[in-house]
Each structure stands twice: as C-alpha cells, then as structure tokens.
Amino acid sequence: MSASQTSDVPTLLVKIFGRDRPGLTAGLFDTLAAYSVDVVDIEQVVTRGRITLCALVTEPSQGLAGDLRVTVHGWAQSMKMQAEIISGHGDNRPRGVGRSLVTVLGHPLTAASTAGIASRITAVGGNIDRIFRLAKYPVTAVEFAVSGASTEALRTELATASASLGVDIAVVSAGLHRRAQRLVVMDVDSTLIQDEVIELFAAHAGCEEQVAEVTAAAMGGELDFEQSLHARVALLAGLDASVVEKVRSEVRLTPGARTLIRTLKRLGYQVGVVSGGFTQVTDDLKERLGLDFAQANTLEIVDGKLTGRVTGEIVDRAGKARLLRRFAAEAGVPLSQTVAIGDGANDLDMLNAAGLGVAFNAKPVVREAAHTAVNVPFLDTVLYLLGVTREEVEAADIHDEDSVQV
C-alpha cells in the first residue's frame, strides 16, 4: 500500500516492551495476523536484554479493533510483557527536508555531551529520527539519523561545539553516496604510523633534535613545507644506505591501522597513502599492508650513501591533493566519494578536496579546517564515520579465521 493510500486509513501503533527472549516478534505478528491487518512500519530495539517492539498496522475491519486490543494485551501478559496500543491515521509524519548522519565518538560518551549534541541539532531545526550505537570500544560510537536541517548547517553548529562537549563529531549527508565511498587516502607520518620518518633517520645521523624542531614548525603551518624538507634532508648527508632497513624496522603502526586497512579492503575500498616522507619507507608499507597506491618523496642515494637531497616530484601540500585526484581517477572513483585522513598543515588541501576529510589527532589549524576531527589514538575509529559497526569488523575477522582453518 502506497503512502498516499495510507494517509487517511485508520491505523494502530502496537508497542510491546519488556525482557527480550526468542520468539517475541513472531508471536506478536502471529497474534496480529488473526485480524488480517497490513504492516505499515516496524521498529525494534534491544538494549541490555530489554526489547521495545513497535508495529504500525492498519486497523482491522468490521469493528474488530477493540477485540484486537484485548487479544494483544492478553498475549503480552502471557509473555510477561507490557503492551500499549494507540489509534491514529496513516503512516508516520513526513520527515523534514534534509537527511544527515551525525556520528559521535566519545571516550567516554557522557550524558552531558549527548544532551549538548541533541540541543544543538534542535537549534538548527533538525529532528533526530533514529539513534544507533556503532561501537562500545575502544570508543563509544553513536550515529544519529537527522532530518529537517541541511548537512552544512549541522556540520557548522556541531563542529564548533565538539571541543567543548569533549567528543568527536562527523556530519555527512545520508544517502547511497555514503556507502559508495570507495577510495581512502591517508597521510603516513603521525597518521598511519606513530612516527615522523625523517626523525627516525635523523636519530641515526645524530641530529634528531634539530630535525624535530623544523618538522613541528612545518606541520603547524609555520614554515613552507618544501623549504623545510630540503633543510631537514640536508642534515642526513653521508648516512650509509643500510640505515633504510633499520628505519623500516623501527616504524610503528598506529593502533588500529591494520584493522582499518583490512576492513576497508574487505568492503571493496581501495586504499592509498601519500607522504611528505620517503618512498624508502612507503613502498615497504604498501607491500606489507596490501595498499593500492603509495607516493612519497625519494631520498637520493649515491655510492651507498644518502646525499642529503631528494629526487623527483616533491610531495608537498598541493602535491598531496594532486595525488588524491590522480588516485581517484585511476580507481574510477569520483572525488566526492573519497575519504582523506591526515594530521598536518600539509594535509589540508587533500582533506578539503576529498568528499570527507578527517583530521586525525591533528594540529589545531588542521582540526579547525577539516570536515571532521578524530582525537582518539585509534585509527580504526575512522570506520565508524563510514557507518561500519564494531560487530561487523569482528564478525569479518572471525569469518576469515574460520576460512583459514578450513
């Protein structure tokens, strides 16, 4: 039955709630089936073993609504459940124009921050249609389905409130395009890995402190990246090329990095990295992690020694955005369906060019400019921004383990 056909039809909202157990849903609809009603809408939620099941059905013919009420209440009582039945007309009221998904990451998620989020959604004319928990660890991730307000208005309102509320908030348009995001490109240093690769090289050259100071200034947007790159690399002149293997062994992946990449690949995403670091490390990461794309600067090595120079195209702020576009074209993915993740000022062009730009434990200038920010040390929390639940990740892991055992 179409929406126009049900608009004036008498309907009953049948709600049961109590302790969950197998067979409740079948039992309720078996009871309703005796009255030949049509189902207009269904919603069921189970929280800590307590079920709330709502069924919106057409009112039975021949004046049997009263009999249906008695029968449903009797069935509910026999199941030690409570029932409520409300008369009305037609379907649910139409949702307001505009559909958005608001993902909240809390560590922890407090009642105060949840109240703040809800009030700010209301302040811009939004209505919360549904709330769903995506994960309970390593953070609490909750998704709000919101209608009645534009995505941009919600993003502006909630982005400014995120820090004061003590949570990370991402706002994206609802719709098929969210599920169609098929390319994720991320920065490497302090994003995919916990380290700054040039500082690992510098530690072997005895100039780690000097390099770290220049790196911090460049990532904070205080220095031109290309100039700072040449200045830092010059300090590595004379290092034996054998240091490359040592640095590769010292690289530490960010917690959740393997889970993020493994899950994205299972979902059919293509994954790439762009780095102001060096191909001597990113090529190794590409092979180890099964990445589809990788691009970085290249340290020049002559006669087994680092020359203190880089060769080829410089991967700087503009270069990262250019590479995102190149990877998207090669992957056959519209730029609007890409995700970029980074932490430094030289990631900003890439983050703004992507359909969704995620500032990961980023510098203030980056957090303020990106679409959303994640400020917990687990890279796989980005999955929740894409609507992937923790249960889905774990179920896929178990399935793969079972497949290997077979």
Side-chain angles (χ1 to χ4, degrees), residues 88-231:
H89 284 82
D91 201 346
N92 305 304
R93 66 180 177 83
R95 294 175 181 171
V97 176
R99 301 280 191 279
S100 301
L101 297 171
V102 177
T103 306
V104 179
L105 308 180
H107 191 54
L109 178 62
T110 66
S113 61
T114 305
I117 293 161
S119 65
R120 283 164 172 79
I121 290 172
T122 301
V124 294
N127 182 72
I128 299 171
D129 300 320
R130 185 171 290 119
I131 305 174
F132 177 72
R133 188 179 72 180
L134 297 167
K136 60 183 178 181
Y137 72 93
V139 299
T140 301
V142 177
E143 182 177 271
F144 295 74
V146 179
S147 62
S150 74
T151 299
E152 286 305 317
L154 277 170
R155 183 178 289 158
T156 300
E157 178 72 20
L158 292 171
T160 56
S162 178
S164 63
L165 293 173
V167 293
D168 298 328
I169 304 175
V171 182
V172 298
S173 296
L176 292 176
H177 70 278
R178 188 204 195 194
R179 301 185 181 206
Q181 289 173 324
R182 290 295 181 228
L183 173 66
V184 175
V185 176
M186 68 189 90
D187 174 45
V188 175
D189 294 8
S190 299
T191 300
L192 177 63
I193 67 174
Q194 300 177 58
D195 313 282
E196 291 287 334
V197 168
I198 197 165
E199 292 178 14
L200 297 179
F201 278 101
H204 292 280
C207 57
E208 184 177 12
E209 187 174 332
Q210 294 168 266
V211 166
E213 290 176 1
V214 180
T215 299
M219 293 303 100
E222 300 170 25
L223 290 178
D224 173 79
F225 177 80
E226 184 172 349
Q227 291 178 341
S228 72
L229 175 67
H230 289 304

Side-chain angles (χ1 to χ4, degrees), residues 40-104:
V40 179
D41 195 7
I42 310 173
E43 189 142 350
Q44 178 174 306
V45 177
V46 178
T47 304
R48 211 176 70 176
R50 308 293 290 184
I51 186 173
T52 299
L53 171 58
C54 295
L56 185 62
V57 300
T58 55
E59 188 174 288
S61 58
Q62 300 176 346
L64 294 176
D67 189 53
L68 181 149
R69 289 172 180 271
V70 171
T71 302
V72 169
H73 278 287
W75 171 82
Q77 186 174 16
S78 72
M79 300 299 293
K80 296 183 170 54
M81 304 288 289
Q82 298 182 62
E84 181 180 4
I85 303 174
I86 303 171
S87 299
H89 284 82
D91 201 346
N92 305 304
R93 66 180 177 83
R95 294 175 181 171
V97 176
R99 301 280 191 279
S100 301
L101 297 171
V102 177
T103 306
V104 179

Side-chain angles (χ1 to χ4, degrees), residues 360-377:
F360 180 73
N361 291 307
K363 283 67 179 175
V365 66
V366 183
R367 289 200 303 269
E368 292 167 8
H371 297 143
T372 188
V374 171
N375 296 299
V376 293

